């Protein structure tokens, strides 16, 4: 006959500790590194848009960011943006300037390319197409998801770099050229690699592809 | 080259990140929005923490803005900035006014620090009550001067003074810091006016904007000051023909 041995309290406690440790380890090593796990990726083909010709799809590691462009508000800047998207210039370009929950910036075609990343000059590169004039607007609010043309400290120096706001920035109104608004997938941009000590990111994430919904 | 890049990255890894969207525009960390509703488009910002900024040595420092303190003083501050219209402010590159406490430049207390390149004027809300309002206009003049150097020739200005008079090398290179009205002026409204040509202009401008009645009386007796004031008015009207002196 097998005698049933009762667990002591300390054995029960030890078992509980092991279970908790197991859960914590599982979360730390398996769940946390999966930064895309809880991010919804939107398929633009499954969404109905009023003006599909003004929709651009930015694809990054965790999914799609769907942007509605503002050709009526900033025609010249949107024209430049479309041209760079259509020619595939933004593919494999780094998000070189990222401030968590504040802003992501990309589009340095000269020093931000995946195959030619230059940490020393990133953010200062040119597209080769020249600069364009700022198209400032005192009506358009800069909210989370607003896409704007980046520039130097001076106006009329916009080229290829753009930023997407992750928080409202009311002071940007009338200072930067608005070129569009993220309509789906803003949360995807929260996963873009940042560095809590720097604006300029070491080992940045890249744009996988940037396309217009209708070429 | 690789070593240089490595050193640069190492140094930058020790710097802290304080880049909110206000920093993007003003290049001043730790600011928050206080008021965005002014009719002349001035954006008032306050310091949620102390900050240090500056070109070389971070020599401009200012303390956190106490909420009760700014609440008490804001109407007075706004009243003074409201004198200037939107178009004029655009022309002189003034858009952001940072309201903080105990402003210092190189450890010397100061009423304001203008930087037209980032359209920003830092104002010490704890500056001496007697001169506080006037100091706002004094600092605004520095924004004007910095944006239109060619209109405010120091060479021409110095010729208004008596031949023996010489300004100091810089505004802090002298002990002439008294801001009270000098009744026996002879070309200068305050002792501080005697420090540099730029400060002299800024002092006259500040009286023009806050105490023009008193100034008019002084001008009747002081030909040097009268010439200086006419020069100043004429230069400002070249910037904006519709500018209204108080």
């Amino acid at each position: 006959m097998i005698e049933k041995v009762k667990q002591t309290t300390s054995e029960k406690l030890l078992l509980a500790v092991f279970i908790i440790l197991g859960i914590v380890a599982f979360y730390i090593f398996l769940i946390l590194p999966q930064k895309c796990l809880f991010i919804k990726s939107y398929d633009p083909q499954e969404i109905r848009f009023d003006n599909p010709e003004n929709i651009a799809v930015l694809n990054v590691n965790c999914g799609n960011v769907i942007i509605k462009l503002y050709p009526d508000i900033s025609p010249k800047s949107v024209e430049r943006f479309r041209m760079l998207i259509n020619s595939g210039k933004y593919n494999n370009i780094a998000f070189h300037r990222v401030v968590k929950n504040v802003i992501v910036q990309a589009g340095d075609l000269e020093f931000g390319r995946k195959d030619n990343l230059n940490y020393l000059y990133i953010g200062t590169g040119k597209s080769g197409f020249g600069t364009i004039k700022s198209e400032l607007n005192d009506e358009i609010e800069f909210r989370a998801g607003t896409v704007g043309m980046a520039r130097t400290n001076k106006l009329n120096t916009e080229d290829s770099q753009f930023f997407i706001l992750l928080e409202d920035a009311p002071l940007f109104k009338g200072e930067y050229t608005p070129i569009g608004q993220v309509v789906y997938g803003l949360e995807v941009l929260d996963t873009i690699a940042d560095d809590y000590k720097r604006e300029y990111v070491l080992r940045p994430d890249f744009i996988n592809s940037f396309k217009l919904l209708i070429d | 080259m690789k070593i240089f890049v490595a050193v640069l990255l190492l140094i930058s890894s020790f710097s802290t990140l304080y880049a909110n969207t206000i920093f993007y525009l003003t290049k001043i960390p730790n600011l928050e929005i206080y008021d965005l509703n002014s009719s002349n488009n001035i954006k008032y910002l306050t310091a949620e923490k102390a900050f240090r900024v500056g070109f070389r040595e971070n020599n401009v420092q200012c303390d956190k803005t106490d909420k009760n303190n700014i609440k008490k003083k804001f109407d007075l501050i706004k009243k003074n900035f409201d004198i200037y219209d939107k178009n004029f402010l655009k022309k002189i590159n003034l858009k952001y006014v940072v309201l903080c406490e105990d402003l210092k430049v190189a450890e010397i207390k100061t009423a304001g620090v203008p930087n037209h390149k980032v359209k920003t004027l830092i104002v010490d809300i704890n500056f001496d009550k007697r001169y506080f309002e006037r100091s706002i206009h004094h600092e605004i003049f520095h924004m004007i001067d910095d944006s239109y150097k060619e209109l405010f020739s120091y060479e021409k200005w110095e010729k208004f003074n008596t031949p023996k008079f010489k300004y100091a090398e810089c505004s802090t290179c002298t002990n002439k810091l008294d801001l009270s009205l000098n009744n026996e002026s002879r070309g200068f409204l305050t002792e501080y006016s005697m420090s540099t040509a730029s400060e002299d202009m800024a002092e006259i401008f500040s009286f023009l904007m806050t105490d023009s009645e008193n100034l008019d009386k002084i001008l009747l007796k002081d030909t040097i000051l009268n010439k200086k004031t006419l020069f100043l008015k004429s230069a400002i009207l070249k910037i904006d023909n519709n500018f209204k002196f108080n």
Side-chain angles (χ1 to χ4, degrees):
Chain A
M1 195 179 146
I2 299 167
E3 193 186 344
K4 200 175 177 183
V5 181
K6 240 186 164 182
Q7 268 185 327
T8 64
T9 312
S10 54
E11 281 172 334
K12 280 180 189 167
L13 271 175
L14 199 62
L15 182 66
V17 168
F18 275 127
I19 291 170
I20 291 167
L21 274 177
I23 293 168
V24 170
F26 177 76
Y27 185 75
I28 289 173
F29 294 109
L30 292 172
I31 304 291
L32 269 188
Q34 306 300 316
K35 59 181 183 179
C36 305
L37 201 63
F38 301 109
I39 304 294
K40 184 178 176 185
S41 184
Y42 293 88
D43 180 354
Q45 304 301 336
E46 291 176 358
I47 303 169
R48 220 188 115 121
F49 298 101
D50 288 341
N51 297 98
E53 68 280 9
N54 291 332
I55 297 296
V57 183
L58 172 74
N59 180 264
V60 294
N61 288 342
C62 288
N64 289 327
V65 180
I66 299 173
I67 298 165
K68 179 184 158 193
L69 300 175
Y70 291 157
D72 298 334
I73 294 163
S74 311
K76 292 284 172 201
S77 306
V78 171
E79 189 186 330
R80 165 66 62 92
F81 201 51
R82 274 182 194 279
M83 183 272 283
L84 294 171
I85 292 172
N86 260 336
S87 57
K89 298 274 185 195
Y90 284 131
N91 300 345
N92 296 312
I93 296 295
F95 285 98
H96 63 273
R97 193 178 202 185
V98 181
V99 184
K100 197 167 182 60
N101 301 324
V102 176
I103 200 166
V104 295
Q105 187 170 325
D108 182 338
L109 307 185
E110 191 175 4
F111 301 120
R113 280 170 34 214
K114 200 173 198 171
D115 59 355
N116 185 32
L117 201 61
N118 188 329
Y119 285 119
L120 197 57
Y121 298 111
I122 198 163
T124 64
K126 296 177 173 63
S127 69
F129 297 102
T131 54
I132 53 173
K133 285 192 171 176
S134 305
E135 292 176 288
L136 306 182
N137 189 304
D138 284 335
E139 303 300 320
I140 298 292
E141 297 288 342
F142 278 73
R143 301 187 188 284
T146 299
V147 186
M149 288 299 277
R151 59 167 171 81
T152 68
N153 280 343
K154 290 179 182 163
L155 293 173
N156 309 321
T157 54
E158 286 82 349
D159 186 353
S160 59
Q161 291 189 45
F162 64 95
F163 62 81
I164 304 176
L165 288 172
L166 306 180
E167 67 167 16
D168 295 351
L171 295 185
F172 277 25
K173 185 166 79 172
E175 282 291 333
Y176 290 97
T177 303
I179 49 172
Q181 175 73 30
V182 174
V183 284
Y184 294 98
L186 187 60
E187 61 276 20
V188 171
L189 295 173
D190 292 335
T191 64
I192 299 293
D194 64 85
D195 185 324
Y196 75 101
K197 281 186 174 174
R198 284 174 284 259
E199 281 179 67
Y200 290 87
V201 186
L202 286 175
R203 292 183 293 278
D205 279 352
F206 294 87
I207 296 170
N208 292 335
S209 68
F210 206 170
K211 291 176 182 166
L212 292 169
L213 190 60
I214 301 171
D215 287 347
Chain B
M1 185 56 148
K2 280 181 180 170
I3 294 171
F4 175 69
V5 174
V7 171
L8 199 77
L9 292 175
L10 190 68
I11 292 167
S12 67
S13 70
F14 290 112
S15 66
T16 49
L17 173 59
Y18 39 63
N20 59 15
T21 51
I22 304 175
F23 177 80
Y24 270 63
L25 296 162
T26 62
K27 306 299 172 204
I28 300 172
N30 306 334
L31 300 183
E32 59 187 354
I33 292 169
Y34 186 75
D35 185 280
L36 301 181
N37 299 320
S38 69
S39 57
N40 58 8
N41 208 26
I42 284 196
K43 314 295 181 194
Y44 295 95
L45 311 169
T46 50
E48 56 177 336
K49 286 184 208 161
F51 63 81
R52 272 180 173 270
V53 286
F55 178 59
R56 278 187 195 149
E57 297 153 4
N58 277 354
N59 61 351
V60 177
Q61 61 184 90
C62 204
D63 288 343
K64 179 185 168 177
T65 323
D66 178 80
K67 296 250 186 299
N68 291 325
N69 194 13
I70 186 65
K71 208 173 171 182
K72 278 184 222 157
K73 295 173 180 170
F74 184 67
D75 286 347
L76 181 70
I77 294 166
K78 193 166 180 293
K79 185 193 92 182
N80 280 282
F81 280 102
D82 278 350
I83 294 173
Y84 302 91
D85 87 14
K86 194 177 172 178
N87 292 329
F88 181 72
L89 292 172
K90 201 167 183 180
K91 284 178 180 171
I92 65 164
N93 287 312
L94 176 55
K95 187 167 183 184
Y96 309 108
V97 172
V98 177
L99 306 168
C100 55
E101 301 194 22
D102 303 322
L103 178 63
K104 288 175 190 164
V105 178
E107 297 300 325
I108 300 167
K109 278 190 158 244
T110 186
V113 175
N115 186 346
H116 73 291
K117 286 182 183 164
V118 284
K119 304 178 193 172
T120 302
L121 173 60
I122 308 173
V123 172
D124 180 3
I125 62 168
N126 288 344
F127 193 69
D128 192 327
K129 274 182 193 167
R130 292 170 296 170
Y131 314 118
F132 181 64
E133 285 185 79
R134 200 163 64 71
S135 76
I136 290 174
H137 303 279
H138 176 110
E139 298 305 333
I140 289 173
F141 177 78
H142 287 310
M143 297 285 297
I144 300 171
D145 183 18
D146 290 343
S147 299
Y148 293 90
K149 283 278 176 211
E150 72 284 0
L151 292 178
F152 301 94
S153 160
Y154 298 163
E155 211 175 36
K156 280 185 192 168
W157 185 267
E158 284 176 24
K159 284 180 185 158
F160 293 132
N161 294 324
T162 54
K164 280 183 186 173
F165 179 82
K166 285 265 179 299
Y167 289 112
E169 291 289 312
C170 68
S171 59
T172 50
C173 309
T174 167
N175 291 325
K176 292 171 180 169
L177 299 171
D178 187 6
L179 293 170
S180 58
L181 186 63
N182 176 1
N183 286 324
E184 291 167 21
S185 57
R186 291 182 190 172
F188 302 96
L189 285 171
T190 67
E191 191 186 60
Y192 192 50
S193 300
M194 296 180 216
S195 59
T196 66
S198 172
E199 300 301 348
D200 193 5
M201 292 181 196
E203 282 294 86
I204 296 175
F205 181 77
S206 69
F207 276 94
L208 266 171
M209 300 309 290
T210 57
D211 195 4
S212 55
E213 266 182 41
N214 212 358
L215 181 63
D216 286 344
K217 284 176 201 161
I218 296 167
L219 296 183
L220 289 174
K221 294 181 276 177
D222 191 322
T223 51
I224 295 175
L225 264 175
N226 198 20
K227 282 178 191 166
K228 284 179 175 176
T229 308
L230 289 173
F231 174 88
L232 212 56
K233 279 184 165 179
S234 149
I236 286 162
L237 289 170
K238 278 178 192 158
I239 298 168
D240 186 343
N241 206 22
N242 297 316
F243 186 86
K244 298 265 182 299
F245 296 95
N246 257 3

